[in-house]
Amino acid sequence: MTVIQWIIDNILTQAAILISLIAMLGLILQGKQLGAVISGTLKTLLGFEVLSAGSAIIQQSLAYFAVIFHYGFHTKGIVPSIEAINGQAMNKLGLGNSIALTLLGIFIVNILIARFTKWKYVFLTGQALLWMATMTVIGGHFAGLKGFPLILIGSIVGGVFAIAMPALAQPIVRKITGNNSVALGHFCTIGYLVEAGVAWLVRDRKVDQQVTNIKERTDSWEHVKLPKSMSFLQDNSLSIMVVMIPLYVITAAFAGPYWSLKAAGGVAGGVNYIIYAFLQAIQFTVGVYVMLSGVRLMLGEIVPAFRGIAMKIVPNSIPALDCPVLFPYSPNAVIIGFITTTIGTVIGMFLSPLAGLAVILPGMTTNFFAGGTAGIFGNAVGGKRGAIIGGIVHGLFITLLPALLVGALSSFGFVNATATDVDTIVAALLYLWVITPAFHVFG
């Protein structure tokens, strides 16, 4: 048990190490020379760490933005946090070992399904698997499951989600990437499919004919035509800056100097609060630039290395990677998705109490990563119109679904808590509405 726990804590939940080891295994299985194995493994590790560094810069900037947004527009409610739920489950309920073993079980079930069925997706986003394990164990615990049955059912439910979500998203991912070399391994996929569905309904049907990938959409955000005086906006980094600077500066102006500088956490160094907001917008852009560089570096190694896995362990397998893997394919749609999802979450924040639900505050990190990915889906399926309308609906969806979970979690002792990734919420509601009643009837 100690060895298994060490492996889970130090390898399976450390995405950089897990992906690098899988790349190394793939290269070894291909019979590559030692130098090529070391080079490919280290470049995969470097690429993932560069991606993570960019992500950390973005999250730090968004943490500041979330505070000034909160005080600038006087919002009150619950901020979804799967990390907080995981902490309570492990520390207060003593479910740490069950969560760890369920995480390992989910990975094993995923590999088995991929090996013996036509669905060849291997889910490689370690943190996402941890959150799924957390929600399935909590659901099973309050359904009355204990010990091996708790871990087994959680492993099966989580393993099915780990294979089903990439499979459901792959037809659209192929449109986005133009090939079948990578899949999406992120447990916000149901939300992405909701946006894609809305985008399909509102799409321009004339444009939609004979479109096989995103580059062929003449109404794509990536094909926006600008006058020569605005041609500098064709540079993705500059276009992000032009959008984010007003967003940050205007929000800081509404928050005022006191809260804006308080949000800075004492690191503003006497800089004017508007200037500090301006610099944070630039910092956000830097984070995106770094993250996309890491994605490109990692993909250059993990995809070729994965051929070894495909040939030996899971024939024709496809790596399912975290959502930023899609960002380089449609960077304009990422920003549109972030903005429209944020608009949708704000609308949802005001609609929730009218429906008798808890008020869920917009989570800016989720809005960027999940909203940006959803924006890519909406743009791929329905062009500019689909990305805008679909993005707003996506924001509503990822606000109202967590609100449904608040009541259930509160009855289990989780006060003012809910999750973020919608697939894990669906898994938890599956326990609440299906598995728990079944257990009480047949258990």
Side-chain angles (χ1 to χ4, degrees):
M1 178 62 195
T2 304
V3 174
I4 294 174
Q5 186 70 51
W6 186 92
I7 292 172
I8 292 169
D9 291 342
N10 294 280
I11 296 176
L12 289 183
T13 58
Q14 303 301 317
I17 296 176
L18 176 63
I19 289 177
S20 300
L21 288 176
I22 288 175
M24 181 177 70
L25 176 61
L27 292 167
I28 292 172
L29 290 174
Q30 290 181 70
K32 297 290 185 180
Q33 293 184 349
L34 179 61
V37 172
I38 294 174
S39 174
T41 303
L42 293 181
K43 282 186 178 179
T44 301
L45 179 62
L46 177 61
F48 192 90
E49 288 300 319
V50 171
L51 185 158
S52 299
S55 178
I57 294 171
I58 292 170
Q59 291 185 46
Q60 184 178 9
S61 176
L62 287 174
Y64 160 81
F65 182 74
V67 175
I68 61 174
F69 184 91
H70 171 68
Y71 288 107
F73 301 105
H74 308 289
T75 58
K76 294 182 179 179
I78 299 170
V79 178
S81 173
I82 184 66
E83 293 87 351
I85 294 173
N86 176 262
Q88 290 187 55
M90 296 182 74
N91 298 322
K92 290 187 178 181
L93 299 178
L95 297 174
N97 287 339
S98 296
I99 290 172
L101 290 172
T102 301
L103 169 60
L104 180 60
I106 289 172
F107 191 72
I108 293 171
V109 170
N110 177 194
I111 295 294
L112 290 174
I113 296 174
R115 177 66 179 84
F116 296 107
T117 71
K118 65 179 180 180
W119 296 290
K120 302 298 181 181
Y121 306 98
V122 179
F123 200 105
L124 295 178
T125 310
Q127 285 296 100
L129 292 177
L130 175 61
W131 306 145
M132 180 60 75
T134 298
M135 297 307 291
T136 57
V137 167
I138 289 172
H141 176 75
F142 289 107
L145 298 171
K146 296 180 181 179
F148 181 72
L150 172 67
I151 296 165
L152 177 63
I153 293 178
S155 298
I156 294 171
V157 170
V160 169
F161 268 87
I163 204 94
M165 293 302 106
L168 289 171
Q170 193 62 11
I172 302 174
V173 171
R174 277 195 297 268
K175 278 190 174 185
I176 294 166
T177 64
N179 57 59
N180 210 38
S181 61
V182 295
L184 179 62
H186 194 223
F187 283 135
C188 294
T189 301
I190 293 174
Y192 306 151
L193 297 176
V194 166
E195 168 144 355
V198 173
W200 184 83
L201 290 173
V202 303
R203 74 196 188 285
D204 186 329
R205 283 162 173 76
K206 292 181 180 179
V207 174
D208 199 54
Q209 293 177 355
Q210 298 180 344
V211 171
T212 58
N213 64 66
I214 198 170
K215 293 180 180 179
E216 296 175 359
R217 289 207 71 92
T218 57
D219 61 344
S220 167
W221 280 105
E222 308 311 314
H223 298 319
V224 174
K225 294 182 179 180
L226 299 171
K228 289 185 178 180
S229 61
M230 302 288 287
S231 61
F232 68 93
L233 292 178
Q234 298 293 350
D235 183 299
N236 293 325
S237 296
L238 295 180
S239 64
I240 291 172
M241 288 171 62
V242 167
V243 172
M244 301 309 294
I245 287 171
L247 189 63
Y248 272 63
V249 169
I250 292 171
T251 304
F254 272 93
Y258 177 78
W259 290 114
S260 294
L261 294 175
K262 190 175 180 64
V267 298
V271 176
N272 176 272
Y273 74 104
I274 295 294
I275 299 299
Y276 187 80
F278 171 84
L279 294 174
Q280 282 298 307
I282 304 300
Q283 192 78 347
F284 176 94
T285 308
V286 170
V288 173
Y289 182 87
V290 173
M291 184 179 67
L292 295 182
S293 299
V295 168
R296 295 186 185 98
L297 179 59
M298 182 180 68
L299 282 182
E301 299 299 327
I302 189 66
V303 173
F306 215 78
R307 293 194 189 104
I309 305 291
M311 290 187 294
K312 298 291 184 180
I313 301 175
V314 183
N316 302 313
S317 59
I318 303 172
L321 304 174
D322 204 355
C323 62
V325 73
L326 299 182
F327 287 9
Y329 295 97
S330 194
N332 291 345
V334 172
I335 302 304
I336 297 299
F338 170 49
I339 293 172
T340 54
T341 293
T342 299
I343 292 171
T345 57
V346 172
I347 295 172
M349 179 181 68
F350 291 110
L351 289 180
S352 295
L354 298 179
L357 299 172
V359 177
I360 305 297
L361 296 182
M364 292 304 164
T365 300
T366 299
N367 286 358
F368 176 70
F369 288 100
T373 309
I376 297 175
F377 273 61
N379 185 57
V381 173
K384 293 193 288 287
R385 185 192 305 167
I388 292 173
I389 299 174
I392 294 172
V393 174
H394 175 255
L396 281 167
F397 180 73
I398 67 170
T399 301
L400 297 178
L401 196 64
L404 283 175
L405 190 61
V406 172
L409 287 177
S410 64
S411 67
F412 298 151
F414 294 86
V415 180
N416 290 332
T418 190
T420 47
D421 295 359
V422 294
D423 298 352
T424 67
I425 296 173
V426 170
L429 294 176
L430 176 67
Y431 272 92
L432 179 67
W433 294 339
V434 179
I435 295 176
T436 299
F439 182 76
H440 288 307
V441 171
F442 300 107

